[in-house]
Amino acid sequence: MMTSDSGFEDDIHTPSSSQQRLKGPGSRDPPYTMTQCHDLYSEYEEDHFIHQRNKQQDFLVLNCLSGQTQITAEARCVLVSWLIDLYKYFDLTFESCCLAVNIMDRFLATTAVASDCFQLLGVTSLLIATKYVEVHFPGIKLLLSFCCDAFTREQLCNLESLILIKLNFRLAAPTIAYFLDHFVNWEVSRIEARMEDNIPEEGKSWMIWKDCEEQLLNFERFKYLAFKVCEISLADYTFNRYQPSVIAQSALNLAKDLLREQLNESTIQNADSTHTSTDFLGDVEKTSQSLDDPDLIQQCTHELGLLASLNKELLQDIIKL
Amino acid sequence: MKKLRRTLSESFRRVALKKEDGGFDEICVSKMSTRGCQGSDSLFRPLDSIPEERRVQRTQSGFESFEKHASQVKRVHSENNACINASGSNTHSESPKLRRHSSPSSPTSPKFGKVDSYEKLEKLGEGSYATVYKGKSKVNGKLVALKVIRLQEEEGTPFTAIREASLLKGLKHANIVLLHDIIHTKETLTLVFEYVHTDLCRYMDKHSGGLHPENVRLFLFQLLRGLSYIHQRFILHRDLKPQNLLISESGELKLADFGLARAKSVPSHTYSNEVVTLWYRPPDVLLGSTEYSTCLDMWGVGCIYIEMIQGVAAFPGMKDVQDQLERIFLVLGTPSEETWPGVHSLPHFKPGRFPVYSAKKLRQAWNKLGHVDHAEDLASRFLQCFPKQRVSASTALQHDFFRQLPDNLRNLSDMSSIFTVPGLRLYPESDFTNINTHSKGASCGKQ
């Protein structure tokens, strides 16, 4: 998948080439794409990250189902799983999906919902999220058809208004999608810095480039795996108590663990592999990135690990790419 | 796709029985939340903690608010049902009884959030999804602008209204139009803004041929002050143009129309390159870049600044994107990989698409820049083709062009107007005689 035959040597250090390269493999449907690799970890991004991180507490809803009489965690799981399929079908961003779930949860914390209206709440939350996030959003008629026309346009519009009033038009919730993107970009800038440091000597260059390529390939898998874990976590009510930044960080930690395990296995079979291809699997905890409570991240990583093992069949392909 | 189409309400009822009829790519997360996982008992808070007696299956549908007291629940409940099921009655004209709850002391006094708190005066304008009226608050007698947005159109609440309301709610600054109130009724959503009597487009129409340089300084300073405030909050306006800059009688400038604005988040593919009127659209966006941030707004600032000084739009493209770009390159020079790293990889850039122009001095294009100290240098900092080279709003405020303004202007609190500083006032435009070059027909990029 990686087109490395020509020109790679010439422009390995220019940002645009590595940018394209990172977009290459595993791009079946990662909804966040790697863009502007250079300059990613700028001061502005860092400020924005801090801003988002501080803001997320205001949008966190604990025990949003505690007042519900008809909506259970299982029902929420079914609905969110369906929403995940829906956002993929419409080719929406992961950001929209995360925001939709957040809107839904915050509404559930204010209002008791009957089980036969729950699906309507799901699509309406998705509609509001896409109106806020996307350039193009799915039409109401189409959304309703995905509910087998069990609801009318008027019902959806009325609920849309009700949600906006109840949430007081507060929609700028920091999402898992944002934090995942931020942390991944940060990792990319780390890899790039390392590449710049390792300007190869004559003769040795081929080996190093091979490593770089391998590393990028592994990085794609790592990124996609973390994303998949985040996606599944949305549907599980257990993870509702964690802040999005904690889940994103934990998912990346888990993805590193899983890949490291798998790579260690393959290293035994193939002594050729060098450690450089997995450099990025080093711990992130030691950096300034991790401002969240390490114990909390550890706990969340552990719980995501259980979740991942329960959903093995979904993740297996990525790990053993 | 067929598998995606399904009603879930049945499954919610059956969910306790587990195992769906499945089919679609099902994520079996529920296993984790319930009993399927070994050893999870100690790890996970039991989720099925709702007492059995509360798990009654209601046949009635609806949404029941938690916020109301038990005695109110019944009525509110039916109100919400009516709202959802649209029984036709006007659910938002509240009964006096209900109002007494929200305002026990004076049951008849007008309240914020109520339609009848504002008296509608004349119509100010009509947009594609909203009508703007002049209005008067019955609470304090102040003039307001009522932006009445029609609901129940094909696609429900317009996305521009959702963004404008959600973004403006958190913004309180003297140079941002103040959102007083949001009123929701069954048919309309009304945003209540402070009333500001004109906008920069009409102001420039009225005083054609270029504004008084001192007034340009005051307007530009306020525009940058407002932008610096929203950019610090990671919000991009994305639709800067003279019509969206309101001007009060005392000369206060206020950023308005946040319908295309966005809070910065995940960077990719969240912006349409359809944003920003062509005349004020930066070259990177014209060339198809979707990766823009605050520098998008700064290009527009440069264009508006030139227009205020010179009295004509900076780049009044007449035809299309190509024409717009050629006008820009004619003055600033056709970009190359040297002057703008990455320009060749932008989607709409093709070698040979543009004649190779060399960069000129800005005063050759707009002579009045030469009449005011530091004016040309400041303009050149906004009008950079390479987005990363554009000056930020907060840096621009420190530019020498503003040096003669009082120092304490930079220490004002957010909500204080610059005209609270003694000595500052708007200059009468007639003091500054001009040749009328401002063509009315094409003013302000009305497209």
Side-chain angles (χ1 to χ4, degrees):
Chain A
M1 286 198 94
M2 219 165 237
T3 54
S4 63
D5 15 300
S6 68
F8 190 37
E9 286 87 339
D10 298 329
D11 50 25
I12 184 166
H13 297 298
T14 68
S16 56
S17 75
S18 48
Q19 182 177 335
Q20 281 163 4
R21 220 147 285 280
L22 280 171
K23 275 183 186 169
S27 62
R28 201 179 56 83
D29 72 318
Y32 56 91
T33 46
M34 188 59 62
T35 48
Q36 29 160 224
C37 283
H38 58 297
D39 230 27
L40 272 172
Y41 199 62
S42 66
E43 209 175 303
Y44 184 70
E45 295 296 335
E46 176 68 15
D47 288 348
H48 185 222
F49 165 68
I50 306 271
H51 176 85
Q52 293 279 80
R53 211 190 144 274
N54 293 338
K55 205 168 67 171
Q56 59 180 342
Q57 190 63 47
D58 304 341
F59 291 89
L60 192 69
V61 271
L62 297 170
N63 303 324
C64 66
L65 297 182
S66 63
Q68 300 293 338
T69 52
Q70 299 189 24
I71 307 300
T72 59
E74 290 88 343
R76 184 184 173 280
C77 172
V78 172
L79 182 68
V80 175
S81 304
W82 178 73
L83 285 177
I84 288 173
D85 289 323
L86 211 55
Y87 101 84
K88 283 183 180 158
Y89 176 80
F90 286 119
D91 204 16
L92 304 169
T93 57
F94 187 43
E95 167 97 347
S96 289
C97 180
C98 295
L99 185 59
V101 174
N102 179 269
I103 289 172
M104 182 184 85
D105 284 346
R106 283 191 291 142
F107 183 76
L108 285 171
T110 67
T111 308
V113 176
S115 64
D116 49 4
C117 287
F118 194 33
Q119 189 178 21
L120 181 65
L121 174 61
V123 276
T124 311
S125 301
L126 187 66
L127 179 68
I128 295 174
T130 55
K131 279 180 178 179
Y132 187 77
V133 170
E134 304 281 341
V135 176
H136 304 288
F137 45 87
I140 289 180
K141 200 171 170 220
L142 194 56
L143 285 174
L144 290 174
S145 78
F146 277 89
C147 307
C148 299
D149 292 307
F151 313 100
T152 66
R153 177 189 299 275
E154 201 172 4
Q155 286 174 319
L156 192 149
C157 291
N158 287 331
L159 180 57
E160 185 187 46
S161 297
L162 189 63
I163 294 173
L164 290 170
I165 296 168
K166 288 280 181 184
L167 300 191
N168 208 0
F169 283 87
R170 288 175 67 247
L171 300 176
T175 57
I176 298 178
Y178 165 75
F179 289 107
L180 190 61
D181 188 74
H182 177 84
F183 291 137
V184 164
N185 286 341
W186 185 82
E187 299 273 359
V188 169
S189 65
R190 268 193 354 158
I191 294 181
E192 290 204 331
R194 192 166 301 120
M195 281 179 173
E196 307 234 336
D197 291 345
N198 288 333
I199 295 173
E201 295 158 34
E202 287 292 318
K204 258 183 80 184
S205 54
W206 185 84
M207 270 304 283
I208 304 256
W209 285 318
K210 188 169 165 287
D211 286 344
C212 287
E213 204 181 315
E214 223 167 87
Q215 178 154 343
L216 288 168
L217 187 68
N218 282 329
F219 189 80
E220 274 310 311
R221 294 163 61 197
F222 157 65
K223 203 175 80 171
Y224 190 58
L225 186 58
F227 156 69
K228 232 27 202 177
V229 170
C230 285
E231 197 179 73
I232 300 170
S233 80
L234 278 182
D236 195 316
Y237 188 54
T238 310
F239 293 94
N240 229 14
R241 63 201 156 107
Y242 293 111
Q243 296 188 333
S245 66
V246 173
I247 295 177
Q249 181 72 76
S250 304
L252 288 166
N253 289 352
L254 177 66
K256 280 184 185 178
D257 289 344
L258 292 174
L259 277 182
R260 211 183 283 141
E261 248 170 58
Q262 194 265 326
L263 286 168
N264 284 343
E265 276 172 32
S266 66
T267 315
I268 297 167
Q269 295 155 9
N270 180 8
D272 221 24
S273 295
T274 53
H275 72 283
T276 40
S277 64
T278 56
D279 267 356
F280 67 91
L281 293 178
D283 288 334
V284 198
E285 283 91 337
K286 294 174 190 109
T287 71
S288 68
Q289 274 302 293
S290 187
L291 297 161
D292 290 302
D293 177 8
D295 291 341
L296 201 62
I297 289 181
Q298 202 180 3
Q299 190 189 345
C300 184
T301 309
H302 179 69
E303 291 182 2
L304 283 174
L306 288 174
L307 182 66
S309 66
L310 279 167
N311 294 279
K312 239 187 199 130
E313 63 279 13
L314 282 168
L315 305 173
Q316 212 61 33
D317 295 347
I318 311 167
I319 299 172
K320 295 201 170 141
L321 200 72
Chain B
M1 159 141 159
K2 209 178 165 196
K3 285 169 188 166
L4 268 176
R5 292 189 199 277
R6 50 201 223 121
T7 39
L8 291 177
S9 52
E10 278 308 303
S11 20
F12 297 144
R13 295 219 180 86
R14 284 186 287 110
V15 82
L17 302 170
K18 293 305 263 328
K19 205 54 216 164
E20 299 292 307
D21 46 337
F24 76 111
D25 182 22
E26 193 183 333
I27 296 171
C28 53
V29 202
S30 53
K31 277 190 208 162
M32 181 165 185
S33 300
T34 51
R35 287 151 284 253
C37 174
Q38 318 144 317
S40 68
D41 290 1
S42 56
L43 271 168
F44 301 111
R45 179 170 43 89
L47 286 162
D48 20 20
S49 56
I50 300 167
E52 205 54 46
E53 64 273 19
R54 287 189 63 198
R55 294 184 159 214
V56 278
Q57 292 275 320
R58 287 194 312 171
T59 46
Q60 206 177 3
S61 66
F63 299 85
E64 188 175 308
S65 176
F66 293 150
E67 286 152 17
K68 314 284 175 174
H69 298 296
S71 59
Q72 283 180 282
V73 161
K74 204 171 178 200
R75 186 185 39 214
V76 175
H77 171 70
S78 59
E79 186 187 294
N80 278 335
N81 270 348
C83 178
I84 293 308
N85 295 321
S87 62
S89 65
N90 190 351
T91 56
H92 288 267
S93 64
E94 294 181 339
S95 65
K97 224 176 174 182
L98 193 64
R99 181 176 301 152
R100 205 173 302 141
H101 283 285
S102 50
S103 174
S105 53
S106 55
T108 49
S109 79
K111 295 266 301 168
F112 283 113
K114 303 284 174 288
V115 193
D116 57 5
S117 305
Y118 301 93
E119 186 188 344
K120 215 183 256 178
L121 305 170
E122 75 260 26
K123 192 196 269 189
L124 294 173
E126 179 120 37
S128 50
Y129 72 94
T131 312
V132 184
Y133 297 92
K134 190 173 177 174
K136 196 173 174 184
S137 162
K138 289 179 187 168
V139 181
N140 53 19
K142 277 189 177 168
L143 286 177
V144 290
L146 301 166
K147 190 172 193 173
V148 182
I149 294 147
R150 291 176 288 278
L151 300 179
Q152 297 297 346
E153 306 255 326
E154 274 296 282
E155 298 305 330
T157 311
F159 78 96
T160 42
I162 291 180
R163 290 189 193 172
E164 182 156 41
S166 78
L167 292 175
L168 274 177
K169 267 185 78 70
L171 302 178
K172 302 255 176 289
H173 189 275
N175 300 117
I176 313 283
V177 70
L178 190 64
L179 178 63
H180 281 303
D181 202 355
I182 300 174
I183 303 168
H184 225 295
T185 68
K186 190 159 162 44
E187 291 85 18
T188 61
L189 171 69
T190 304
L191 305 182
V192 184
F193 294 102
E194 60 178 321
Y195 178 77
V196 188
H197 96 289
T198 191
D199 62 58
L200 185 62
C201 182
R202 284 191 280 164
Y203 187 91
M204 287 194 295
D205 274 349
K206 199 171 155 199
H207 308 289
S208 50
L211 305 182
H212 192 301
E214 293 308 318
N215 291 345
V216 172
R217 206 186 314 272
L218 293 174
F219 288 152
L220 185 62
F221 189 87
Q222 295 181 84
L223 170 56
L224 291 169
R225 205 176 153 228
L227 272 182
S228 161
Y229 175 85
I230 64 166
H231 286 174
Q232 268 168 28
R233 280 152 188 79
F234 303 95
I235 291 169
L236 310 181
H237 187 281
R238 311 202 309 160
D239 193 22
L240 285 182
K241 52 187 175 187
Q243 293 99 309
N244 291 343
L245 304 179
L246 306 181
I247 306 282
S248 79
E249 273 167 294
S250 62
E252 285 175 88
L253 178 146
K254 287 164 194 287
L255 280 164
D257 209 335
F258 281 67
L260 290 176
R262 263 220 54 166
K264 178 182 160 60
S265 185
V266 180
S268 50
H269 306 294
T270 41
Y271 308 114
S272 157
N273 55 14
E274 298 310 309
V275 302
V276 184
T277 318
L278 219 50
W279 287 9
Y280 308 96
R281 204 182 284 186
D284 44 313
V285 179
L286 290 166
L287 286 169
S289 163
T290 50
E291 306 289 335
Y292 38 77
S293 70
T294 53
C295 35
L296 167 81
D297 286 338
M298 299 321 292
W299 177 271
V301 172
C303 296
I304 292 166
Y305 169 49
I306 297 283
E307 193 166 343
M308 286 195 289
I309 283 210
Q310 189 68 23
V312 289
F315 305 109
M318 298 304 274
K319 292 189 295 236
D320 48 13
V321 170
Q322 175 78 17
D323 180 49
Q324 187 67 34
L325 280 165
E326 281 187 27
R327 277 171 188 271
I328 294 170
F329 297 158
L330 186 62
V331 179
L332 301 179
T334 309
S336 63
E337 276 292 326
E338 283 79 55
T339 61
W340 180 351
V343 65
H344 285 191
S345 15
L346 289 174
H348 302 154
F349 186 92
K350 283 178 197 73
R353 184 181 159 184
F354 306 102
V356 179
Y357 299 113
S358 57
K360 293 171 189 60
K361 268 190 169 290
L362 295 186
R363 70 177 74 184
Q364 283 177 262
W366 305 292
N367 66 320
K368 288 178 185 169
L369 283 174
H371 302 170
V372 187
D373 285 349
H374 310 296
E376 187 182 25
D377 182 70
L378 181 55
S380 72
R381 286 165 198 266
F382 295 128
L383 297 180
Q384 291 286 336
C385 284
F386 182 33
K388 288 197 167 66
Q389 270 167 6
R390 274 171 228 152
V391 68
S392 72
S394 53
T395 310
L397 284 170
Q398 311 299 323
H399 192 270
D400 280 346
F401 180 69
F402 299 114
R403 198 164 48 185
Q404 65 193 82
L405 293 177
D407 275 343
N408 47 359
L409 219 50
R410 290 167 183 85
N411 311 322
L412 286 175
S413 66
D414 286 344
M415 279 307 279
S416 309
S417 153
I418 62 162
F419 295 103
T420 57
V421 173
L424 277 195
R425 62 180 179 88
L426 198 67
Y427 292 77
E429 293 290 348
S430 51
D431 284 2
F432 190 68
T433 43
N434 302 296
I435 311 139
N436 189 337
T437 52
H438 200 276
S439 130
K440 283 217 164 188
S443 65
C444 305
K446 281 172 190 152
Q447 297 172 354

